[in-house]
Amino acid sequence: MLTLLYTRITELAASPRAVWWLIVVAVAESSVFPLPVDLMLIPMLLANRERAWFLASVCTAASVVGGLIGWVLGAFLMEHVGMPIAHFYHADQRILNLEAMFRHYGVWIILAKGLTPLPYKFVTLAAGAAHFPLLPFIAASVVTRGARFFLEAALLRAFGEPIRDFIEKRLALVLFGALILIAGGIALIEFL
């Protein structure tokens, strides 16, 4: 099923309505969809490198809107909608753990998990279930999702097809390393 979905998404990336499909996939990926939006964004960036910043902006905005939908599902419909989504992905306990982590670490969870391979839908559902404040949630989502999509856009715009393998296999590791450096810098400033 996932292979068929992957094939369909890459076909949509080449369609005349690709930007609209990018919006749909980015919104859905942040709340319910099983495949990352990068599968659509990367071919679109490669096909139209001069529109990289526009595509990254659209993807970021749509992903944040999808995150808001996930937050609402977690906050108000967790039992009837959120947990069935988590159960579908065999992530029931992961959602509960994230929800507990939100109570202790707040915005850091969004910043860290939004850059990792962990599906962002789990973060959005858990943030809503924890009733994490909406404005910090939106701000952190813009930062973390924007960082991911704009970095992809910058790399693909600069290097094109040769960087594709790196992005698909190692980008999450690079972003996680950047997060560690940022967190270390903040900790160092606080202790000085």
Side-chain angles (χ1 to χ4, degrees):
M1 180 178 106
L2 289 179
T3 305
L4 181 62
L5 210 49
Y6 172 80
T7 303
R8 182 67 181 133
I9 288 173
T10 54
E11 288 170 0
L12 291 173
S15 77
R17 295 197 167 124
V19 173
W20 293 106
W21 284 112
L22 178 65
I23 292 168
V24 169
V25 171
V27 167
E29 184 264 341
S30 294
S31 51
V32 297
F33 197 58
L35 295 176
V37 68
D38 312 80
L39 297 176
M40 184 161 202
L41 180 61
I42 290 170
M44 289 177 69
L45 290 168
L46 288 171
N48 205 345
R49 289 166 49 183
E50 63 278 354
R51 293 185 68 195
W53 308 129
F54 169 74
L55 293 171
S57 297
V58 166
C59 198
T60 300
S63 183
V64 172
V65 168
L68 288 170
I69 292 169
W71 189 96
V72 168
L73 292 175
F76 303 109
L77 299 169
M78 191 62 176
E79 183 180 338
H80 299 293
V81 179
M83 285 312 286
I85 291 169
H87 184 71
F88 177 80
Y89 295 109
H90 307 287
D92 308 57
Q93 193 57 49
R94 186 180 292 173
I95 294 286
L96 295 173
N97 292 344
L98 276 170
E99 182 181 346
M101 290 172 70
F102 265 106
R103 298 186 201 290
H104 290 88
Y105 303 107
V107 77
W108 287 104
I109 298 300
I110 300 167
L111 292 173
K113 300 297 184 185
L115 296 174
T116 66
L118 177 75
Y120 196 59
K121 70 188 84 4
F122 299 156
V123 174
T124 66
L125 289 169
H131 294 280
F132 186 75
L134 207 47
L135 288 179
F137 172 79
I138 292 168
S141 293
V142 168
V143 168
T144 192
R145 301 310 273 174
R148 180 182 184 125
F149 301 136
F150 277 90
L151 181 57
E152 287 178 11
L155 291 171
L156 287 165
R157 188 166 198 256
F159 303 107
E161 185 67 40
I163 201 76
R164 181 183 200 157
D165 184 56
F166 170 81
I167 288 174
E168 289 177 347
K169 294 184 178 163
R170 295 176 195 87
L171 184 63
L173 183 63
V174 170
L175 290 170
F176 187 68
L179 177 68
I180 290 172
L181 290 174
I182 292 168
I186 291 170
L188 185 63
I189 289 169
E190 284 190 25
F191 291 115
L192 289 179

